[in-house]
Amino acid sequence: MRCNECNVDLGESYHICPLCGAKAADEPAHLAGVEEAPYPDVTKSVEQLWDPDRPGKAVFRVTAVLAAALAVFGGPFTCGFLAPALLLISALYYFFSALREPGRLLHAGLSSLLTLLLSAALLIVVLVRHVAAWPTLLLCVFAGAFFAVLCVEYPERMRAQLAAVLHH
Amino acid sequence: MKNFDASSCKNCAWLPLDNAGHLYAGAHLKNWSRTFRVAAVLDEDVKPDLLQQALDDLSQRAPSYFVRLRDGLFWSYLERTDEHAVVKEEDNLPYRPIPLTGNMQPNFRVLYCKKRVALEIFHAVCDGSAAFHFLVSLLTRYYELQGVTISDFTNALSCADTPTAEECGDAYRKHSDAEVPLRNPKKPDTYFRPEPTIPRYANVIHGVMRVEDVRRAAANYEVTVTEYLAAVLMFCYLNTADEPVTSPLRVSIPIDLRRHFDSQSTRNFAYMFDVSFDPKGRTDVEFTEICAALAGQVQEKSDPAILRHEISANVKTQANPLLRAVPYPIKKLVLRQNYKKSQLAFTTFLSNYGVLTAPPEVLPHIRRAEFVLGDTPYQPFNVACVSVNDLLTLSVGASHPDRTKQQFIFRFLASEGIDVRVESNFFE
Ligand SMILES: [Zn+2]
């Protein structure tokens, strides 16, 4: 097939020129020996959007910000109990969300390290405000223990993962 | 598993990004990543099971491709992944952005549709040359699995070999010179008109031509094929512009640094330079004038001393201790702005891969090759070409349905006495 408007060859199955929309003429190709390489008909395919992020990380981030705000601006109960409890629940959710696939084990290790750092920051706020510190301390111990277990169990992988995240 | 180690990159768990990779990694948006496509049309329908098997076999030989982007505290990096099931039947538009989150798959996909095998890959992983090298290696293994004995692995990776530090390392860093002074480039005056885009829309039009015809046409104007195609693009912009063009037309062209430095890199190792022509608002510019202005520009700008200076300056900027200490989320904002700036500094982009080579037992099975640059949020129109077995395929991609420029380009080439065969992903 050919388009006489554009003076070009077209694929054998073409009825319309993709350049100008003119009707294809049933004439022999000038460029001999080239076969058509068709694309799929995408009008039938479903539009695939970007794969969504796993919810674990987003929930953890939002809760961490909320816990920080409660710790700084809330009353003694909110600061000492509610803030670490929120952080603990979201951290657990994050760990289990991360642990659903074996390949995500290392990310669980990193999230526990992050929880350890966040709970340490929370502990400082709690001590400065002179409210009950033991729930936050418990959170620190939990995250630290989880991180330590992963480091002992998978030392090479954890070392590599930390090196990757911290490299500069 | 360990971090990048020059002596055993086969087992490394992660790779630091190279100089160009940082820019592409920082530029990605929520629903867009810089993705390009290389493809080969074979002489028979693709066997998907064998293709997947070939990909699995290649994963140990070419570890630098089986990676996915991850964010670190100071820089993002490429993490190795063991998930290889990325061979799929093509059922969507070409060069859809590679998703960078939400799965464990490497940052590429291998698509097949009848006789075509396409590799779509995130640019932070590798450049066009490395992508073609990977595609040819994949096809070589694919034919090996069908009982073909490969006599010469010069142009493909052999699964019997082991990856080298040279292949997986940062070639920019290796070939840079620490003594080069830092530069402060000024934004050049450029003709640039934003074009409307439709998200995730991709219209590709391939023009297949005889290499000899294109070489002869270029020789008529005493320019190289790359300069000739850049001139055609500039002539196209001049003739399709709504108003006289008063700023210089700049066509950005990547240069494969492997051809100028001794490198076997399977990652990014290209440098973008531009060729320019200033029409000064004239509407009566002849094609011969543009060719005369472009003659020798590619040769002049590919001088190894200039190239080494340019890559050294880029590497030195990245090595700045102050910059290195800045947390990655902040760096990302700067990288995104730099990428946008680099995109707006050119009228358009043209990439000429040159001649695709493959082992002698594989080459006759490749009927033609295709190279599609893919769009960016700032540049929806892109042109690239590659030739194999005496056929050159010029692929024009656009993320809008307007085909004025495509029509001009292919009609012009036909008027030059070149036989052109046009095919598209949208056809009736
Ligand atoms: Zn036409």
Side-chain angles (χ1 to χ4, degrees):
Chain A
M1 306 298 275
R2 277 189 59 81
C3 173
N4 290 322
E5 297 293 321
C6 301
N7 194 21
V8 297
D9 293 347
L10 302 175
E12 289 74 33
S13 65
Y14 284 47
H15 299 116
I16 287 173
C17 170
L19 294 174
C20 68
K23 194 166 177 288
D26 191 4
E27 290 173 16
H30 287 194
L31 197 63
V34 183
E35 276 182 59
E36 186 178 327
Y39 277 88
D41 180 4
V42 294
T43 50
K44 292 188 193 113
S45 70
V46 180
E47 168 73 341
Q48 288 173 14
L49 296 173
W50 194 265
D51 292 0
D53 247 335
R54 281 175 194 282
K57 196 190 273 183
V59 170
F60 183 69
R61 279 179 185 168
V62 170
T63 324
V65 172
L66 193 68
L70 287 176
V72 175
F73 300 110
F77 175 77
T78 323
C79 179
F81 292 87
L82 203 58
L86 264 179
L87 202 57
L88 179 67
I89 291 166
S90 69
L92 281 172
Y93 180 63
Y94 190 16
F95 295 154
F96 287 115
S97 146
L99 280 171
R100 269 191 312 191
E101 291 170 40
R104 292 185 170 261
L105 182 71
L106 297 172
H107 306 140
L110 283 178
S111 66
S112 64
L113 179 63
L114 199 59
T115 313
L116 184 67
L117 295 174
L118 283 174
S119 51
L122 196 64
L123 188 64
I124 293 169
V125 176
V126 164
L127 290 174
V128 166
R129 296 194 56 186
H130 302 292
V131 290
W134 64 265
T136 318
L137 205 58
L138 207 66
L139 178 62
C140 272
V141 171
F142 161 76
F146 192 78
F147 183 66
V149 166
L150 288 174
C151 285
V152 170
E153 205 62 27
Y154 309 98
E156 276 296 296
R157 294 174 72 179
M158 287 301 285
R159 193 186 64 79
Q161 187 76 14
L162 283 177
V165 170
L166 299 175
H167 88 280
H168 66 285
Chain B
M1 300 279 272
K2 48 186 155 181
N3 56 311
F4 183 71
D5 175 354
S7 62
S8 63
C9 53
K10 188 176 180 178
N11 297 318
C12 63
W14 65 281
L15 294 168
L17 283 164
D18 53 50
N19 200 263
H22 280 301
L23 200 59
Y24 298 120
H28 82 83
L29 304 171
K30 190 160 173 55
N31 285 333
W32 176 82
S33 63
R34 183 75 184 88
T35 302
F36 66 96
R37 171 180 169 115
V38 296
V41 178
L42 306 178
D43 55 354
E44 57 176 13
D45 283 359
V46 175
K47 300 175 181 74
D49 293 347
L50 282 180
L51 195 62
Q52 180 63 62
Q53 179 63 51
L55 190 72
D56 290 344
D57 294 352
L58 208 55
S59 65
Q60 289 300 306
R61 175 62 189 89
S64 71
Y65 297 91
F66 292 80
V67 289
R68 60 191 202 109
L69 186 73
R70 302 285 302 163
D71 283 355
L73 199 58
F74 300 103
W75 293 105
S76 53
Y77 60 94
L78 297 170
E79 181 186 71
R80 276 284 294 282
T81 172
D82 296 326
E83 172 75 51
H84 304 152
V86 289
V87 173
K88 293 183 185 100
E89 184 165 13
E90 187 155 26
D91 66 349
N92 217 313
L93 293 170
Y95 64 80
R96 269 179 313 120
I98 295 284
L100 301 178
T101 56
N103 64 55
M104 296 291 286
Q105 292 185 338
N107 289 161
F108 69 83
R109 59 173 86 91
V110 176
L111 302 167
Y112 66 91
C113 176
K114 297 194 170 80
K115 297 176 181 176
R116 179 187 279 114
V117 180
L119 168 72
E120 298 187 338
I121 192 161
F122 177 43
H123 216 325
V125 177
C126 72
D127 60 16
S129 290
F132 269 119
H133 192 48
F134 185 63
L135 180 68
V136 166
S137 303
L138 179 66
L139 292 175
T140 303
R141 183 63 189 156
Y142 173 75
Y143 283 110
E144 264 192 309
L145 291 172
Q146 295 184 63
V148 175
T149 307
I150 306 297
S151 60
D152 179 6
F153 275 99
T154 310
N155 299 310
L157 298 168
S158 163
C159 290
D161 294 337
T162 48
T164 64
E166 164 74 26
E167 289 167 2
C168 302
D170 183 345
Y172 290 105
R173 201 173 281 260
K174 185 181 170 190
H175 294 281
S176 68
D177 179 356
E179 301 306 313
V180 165
L182 278 175
R183 66 207 158 99
N184 189 13
K186 285 198 186 105
K187 185 182 178 294
D189 187 20
T190 305
Y191 175 77
F192 175 80
R193 289 288 175 276
E195 293 179 39
T197 61
I198 301 172
R200 291 185 291 282
Y201 177 90
N203 177 206
V204 178
I205 298 187
H206 302 291
V208 185
M209 298 161 258
R210 277 186 217 96
V211 174
E212 213 30 64
D213 285 358
V214 183
R215 279 199 188 131
R216 195 199 59 238
N220 285 342
Y221 299 97
E222 297 177 347
V223 289
T224 63
V225 169
T226 306
E227 286 162 348
Y228 175 73
L229 293 173
V232 172
L233 260 176
M234 288 179 179
F235 199 46
C236 165
Y237 270 82
L238 271 176
N239 283 278
T240 53
D242 297 330
E243 69 228 0
V245 176
T246 50
S247 314
L249 291 153
R250 286 183 199 281
V251 175
S252 171
I253 299 173
I255 184 163
D256 181 7
L257 295 172
R258 295 168 190 82
R259 293 177 190 178
H260 298 270
F261 300 93
D262 180 26
S263 173
Q264 303 292 319
S265 175
T266 54
R267 301 178 62 195
N268 282 297
F269 197 38
Y271 176 74
M272 308 289 280
F273 67 92
D274 66 289
V275 292
S276 61
F277 171 76
D278 191 355
K280 296 177 180 156
R282 283 170 52 213
T283 52
D284 59 346
V285 175
E286 299 280 335
F287 183 66
T288 43
E289 272 182 68
I290 305 178
C291 287
L294 298 196
Q297 283 199 31
V298 171
Q299 177 78 26
E300 186 190 315
K301 291 182 177 172
S302 348
D303 179 51
I306 297 175
L307 292 173
R308 190 184 294 277
H309 187 277
E310 292 297 322
I311 60 173
S312 304
N314 287 343
V315 168
K316 201 170 177 182
T317 306
Q318 193 197 309
N320 183 323
L322 271 178
L323 182 73
R324 283 163 59 186
V326 174
Y328 188 62
I330 298 169
K331 277 195 193 100
K332 210 168 176 174
L333 297 174
V334 178
L335 286 167
R336 197 167 287 170
Q337 277 310 311
N338 282 353
Y339 185 72
K340 185 176 177 181
K341 228 189 281 176
S342 74
Q343 291 282 300
L344 304 185
F346 304 109
T347 308
T348 190
F349 289 75
L350 166 72
S351 187
N352 178 8
Y353 174 79
V355 181
L356 182 70
T357 49
E361 294 79 11
V362 176
L363 204 54
H365 293 287
I366 304 177
R367 289 286 184 251
R368 61 189 206 233
E370 296 162 355
F371 185 15
V372 191
L373 279 187
D375 62 346
T376 77
Y378 322 101
Q379 293 271 8
F381 184 81
N382 55 83
V383 182
C385 69
V386 55
S387 54
V388 67
N389 291 332
D390 300 327
L391 284 181
L392 180 148
T393 305
L394 183 74
S395 302
V396 185
S399 48
H400 52 67
D402 179 48
R403 293 166 198 188
T404 316
K405 290 197 186 77
Q406 292 91 322
Q407 194 186 95
F408 183 92
I409 290 168
F410 290 117
R411 281 185 178 183
F412 179 82
L413 290 169
S415 75
E416 289 273 286
I418 300 171
D419 288 330
V420 183
R421 180 194 175 91
V422 167
E423 291 188 15
S424 171
N425 65 323
F426 285 125
F427 68 99
E428 290 175 56

